[in-house]
């Protein structure tokens, strides 16, 4: 049972706090600088900095091959890619989406004058619940915008079937899902389009960056025109496009990063396994189970701090900070709680009980390829020590 009053705990871990620089929720994986210098020299020599240079071309095709997808269009970031994807498919009216995501997902709808319709998530997968999607469809609905939250695949078949039955487009926000596969197939091949993020905080980074995955050449070409102001050639503009282009610097880095990504994923997997072993017997800490037949990318390590944990989620969150552990509450608050969304009828908390509860219980622990196992043990140790001390405090009270 949880005791509302909080025990005073100062560095209760056996590991001294002083020994730790801040342990952040993530840290970008980067190659050795020396490895990147020849790429920079080539950019300096060619003087082609952007607008589809050689690194842009090479990275696009190398990425398509690595991911196992037909077409990639590189972007400056995933938010511009989302905005462009909605334009490319001429989405309008209402779009059904999840409130349990980063704000960029819904902001892309608002920026296109589209009304987001929030539906609840499945608490097991953290992803939009197909049963709720169907119930939210109206004559104004034109598309579904699901998110593979934490890189955990959505219910692809069910969402695909609903889209087919109601003639809706599906754009997957796959910002977290770099390299994720289900039954041997890239999840990026599902739906009409998928959007990736290569932001510094992601599994695979190009400092900033993103991409749209499409399935036919015509759609790719249309997207490529849209990201270049709508230009097809020097004198022809076919649409009111935007500047979403990725620079040669980012593309060159991406090309180099592809050489290292498998190593990065292997190290993240080890972090994930070490957390699982360490946390499994702490009462009140729930760990998401991996879905069957999936190759994941271990992009986040979310835990739920349930009622059975002796202190509330935010007490643990604040305590971890005092121990130099900068975990994050992704995704709290829900998107639907932010001022620009909260008055929508679908943002009503009664409509979103699982999303709401999850956002109140979630903590994403530090997870990245540079974490050593000693640090992972230290984090587990801090959580266990807080639980034990709070338990004895509540028994003594
Ligand atoms: N869709 C979804 C589902 C998304 O999650 C996101 C972005 C998007 C779309 C849009 O993608 P982009 O347009 O960004 O490509 C971060 C990221 O800024 C954001 O990209 C990401 N999702 C979101 C989940 O997380 P913050 O506000 O948590 O980032 P920040 O700056 O607090 O960084 C977290 C920690 O990472 C820091 O404590 C230290 C470390 N870090 C961060 C940066 C930027 C570094 O070590 N180096 C760095 O350069 O939003």
């Amino acid at each position: 049972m949880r005791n509302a009053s909080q025990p005073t705990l100062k560095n209760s871990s056996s590991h001294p706090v002083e020994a730790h620089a801040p342990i952040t929720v993530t840290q970008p994986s980067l190659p050795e600088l020396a490895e990147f210098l020849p790429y920079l020299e080539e950019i300096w020599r060619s003087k082609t900095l952007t607008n589809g240079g050689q690194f842009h071309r090479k990275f696009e095709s190398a990425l398509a091959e690595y991911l196992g997808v037909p077409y990639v269009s590189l972007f400056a970031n995933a938010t511009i890619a989302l905005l462009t994807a909605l334009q490319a498919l001429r989405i309008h009216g209402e779009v059904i989406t999840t409130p349990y995501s980063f704000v960029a997902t819904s902001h892309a709808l608002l920026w296109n004058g589209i009304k987001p319709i929030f539906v609840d998530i499945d608490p097991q997968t953290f992803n939009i619940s197909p049963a709720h999607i169907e119930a939210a469809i109206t004559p104004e609905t034109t598309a579904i915008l699901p998110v593979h939250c934490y890189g955990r695949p959505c219910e692809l078949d069910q969402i695909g079937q609903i889209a087919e039955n109601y003639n809706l487009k599906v754009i997957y926000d796959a910002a977290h899902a770099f390299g994720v596969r289900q039954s041997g197939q890239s999840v990026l091949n599902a739906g009409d389009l998928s959007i990736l993020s290569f932001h510094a905080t992601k599994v695979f980074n190009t400092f900033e960056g993103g991409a749209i995955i499409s399935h036919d050449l015509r759609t790719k070409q249309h997207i490529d025109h849209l990201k270049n102001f709508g230009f097809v050639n020097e004198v022809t503009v076919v649409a009111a496009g935007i500047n979403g282009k990725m620079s040669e610097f980012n593309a060159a880095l991406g090309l180099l990063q592809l050489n290292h990504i498998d190593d990065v994923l292997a190290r993240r997997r080890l972090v994930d396994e070490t957390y699982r072993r360490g946390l499994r017997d702490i009462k009140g800490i729930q760990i998401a189970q991996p879905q069957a037949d999936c190759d994941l990318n271990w992009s986040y390590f979310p835990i739920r701090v349930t009622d059975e944990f002796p202190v509330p989620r935010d007490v643990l969150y604040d305590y971890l900070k005092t121990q130099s552990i900068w975990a994050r509450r992704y995704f709290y608050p829900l998107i639907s709680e932010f001022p620009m969304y909260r008055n929508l009828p679908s943002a009503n908390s009664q409509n979103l009980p699982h999303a709401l509860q999850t956002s109140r219980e979630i903590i994403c622990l530090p997870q990245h390829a540079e974490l050593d196992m000693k640090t992972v043990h230290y984090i587990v140790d801090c959580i266990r020590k807080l639980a034990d001390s709070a338990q004895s405090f509540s028994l003594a009270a």
Side-chain angles (χ1 to χ4, degrees):
M1 258 292 283
R2 190 174 265 180
N3 191 322
S5 56
Q6 299 168 21
T8 313
L9 284 169
K10 278 196 186 134
N11 187 19
S12 63
S13 166
S14 50
H15 307 259
V17 173
E18 295 72 34
H20 285 280
I23 306 163
T24 51
V25 67
T26 187
Q27 193 178 298
S29 293
L30 288 172
E32 292 297 326
L33 185 57
E35 264 190 274
F36 192 41
L37 291 180
Y39 293 71
L40 290 180
E41 281 163 4
E42 179 57 27
I43 294 172
W44 257 247
R45 194 196 56 74
S46 75
K47 307 253 186 309
T48 300
L49 309 187
T50 188
N51 288 4
Q54 60 157 323
F55 285 114
H56 189 281
R57 285 195 299 278
K58 283 183 190 163
F59 180 39
E60 242 180 29
S61 60
L63 192 57
E65 192 181 331
Y66 178 84
L67 294 171
V69 299
Y71 297 104
V72 173
S73 298
L74 297 173
F75 274 79
N77 59 62
T79 305
I80 297 272
L82 274 167
L83 289 169
T84 308
L86 292 161
Q87 289 273 328
L89 300 185
R90 298 189 177 80
I91 305 299
H92 58 278
E94 295 180 357
V95 169
I96 296 172
T97 190
T98 170
Y100 193 77
S101 180
F102 189 62
V103 283
T105 311
S106 292
H107 281 1
L109 296 172
L110 279 199
W111 270 57
N112 273 298
I114 297 164
K115 184 174 176 185
I117 304 293
F118 297 112
V119 302
D120 208 2
I121 60 165
D122 173 338
Q124 302 305 319
T125 64
F126 303 99
N127 291 330
I128 196 164
S129 148
H132 290 93
I133 294 177
E134 196 150 8
I137 295 172
T138 74
E140 305 303 311
T141 311
T142 56
I144 310 168
L145 177 56
V147 177
H148 301 297
C149 191
Y150 310 133
R152 299 165 61 84
C154 291
E155 301 284 354
L156 305 177
D157 291 345
Q158 289 184 55
I159 292 172
Q161 193 59 58
I162 295 168
E164 197 178 318
N165 293 349
Y166 293 89
N167 194 22
L168 303 175
K169 300 287 188 197
V170 183
I171 299 177
Y172 280 102
D173 180 339
H176 303 175
F178 185 96
V180 172
R181 291 174 169 264
Q182 194 166 40
S183 309
Q185 260 283 329
S186 170
V187 295
L188 305 171
N189 285 320
D192 295 281
L193 299 174
S194 290
I195 280 69
L196 286 168
S197 170
F198 310 139
H199 183 261
T201 56
K202 297 292 186 279
V203 164
F204 179 92
N205 86 80
T206 58
F207 280 26
E208 290 267 9
I212 301 182
I213 309 304
S214 54
H215 309 306
D216 63 273
L217 187 57
R218 251 186 91 153
T219 306
K220 178 191 162 39
Q221 283 168 343
H222 182 45
I223 290 166
D224 288 347
H225 297 151
L226 283 176
K227 78 174 186 189
N228 187 26
F229 312 97
F231 274 109
V232 172
N233 58 41
E234 221 177 303
V235 292
T236 316
V237 173
V238 288
I242 199 163
N243 182 357
K245 291 170 275 113
M246 177 181 272
S247 83
E248 283 291 276
F249 177 93
N250 304 98
L253 179 60
L255 194 61
L256 176 56
Q257 293 279 53
L258 279 180
N259 297 341
H260 298 282
I261 182 65
D262 288 341
D263 182 41
V264 165
L265 293 176
R267 283 192 275 157
R268 282 176 169 273
R269 181 185 191 142
L270 193 58
V271 171
D272 186 283
E273 288 168 356
T274 309
Y275 271 133
R276 279 177 197 281
R277 273 198 305 277
L279 293 167
R280 69 182 160 206
D281 63 340
I282 303 183
K283 203 169 169 198
I285 298 293
Q286 258 181 32
I287 307 167
Q289 292 311 312
Q291 291 137 290
D293 201 15
C294 280
D295 298 322
L296 297 175
N297 63 9
W298 303 280
S299 48
Y300 294 84
F301 195 85
I303 58 169
R304 283 174 184 272
V305 184
T306 71
D307 267 350
E308 292 196 308
F309 196 72
V311 297
R313 186 270 310 263
D314 286 349
V315 173
L316 172 59
Y317 172 73
D318 290 337
Y319 170 69
L320 290 177
K321 277 196 211 165
T322 68
Q323 306 300 301
S324 303
I325 301 163
W326 293 81
R328 290 294 286 268
R329 291 165 294 185
Y330 297 133
F331 290 101
Y332 166 81
L334 292 177
I335 298 178
S336 49
E337 294 181 280
F338 290 117
M340 60 296 296
Y341 300 105
R342 67 165 74 114
N343 292 327
L344 291 170
S346 67
N348 188 321
S349 57
Q350 284 171 356
N351 187 43
L352 309 166
H354 292 305
L356 200 65
Q357 186 177 354
T358 306
S359 80
R360 291 341 185 226
E361 291 182 346
I362 207 75
I363 293 186
C364 288
L365 297 178
Q367 162 59 300
H368 55 82
E370 316 305 317
L371 268 187
D372 57 56
M373 294 316 119
K374 199 167 155 227
T375 308
V376 177
H377 288 304
Y378 166 73
I379 296 167
V380 170
D381 203 21
C382 287
I383 297 171
R384 187 185 302 282
K385 289 267 170 62
L386 176 65
D388 290 349
S389 316
Q391 196 68 49
S392 9
F393 176 85
S394 110
L395 290 176

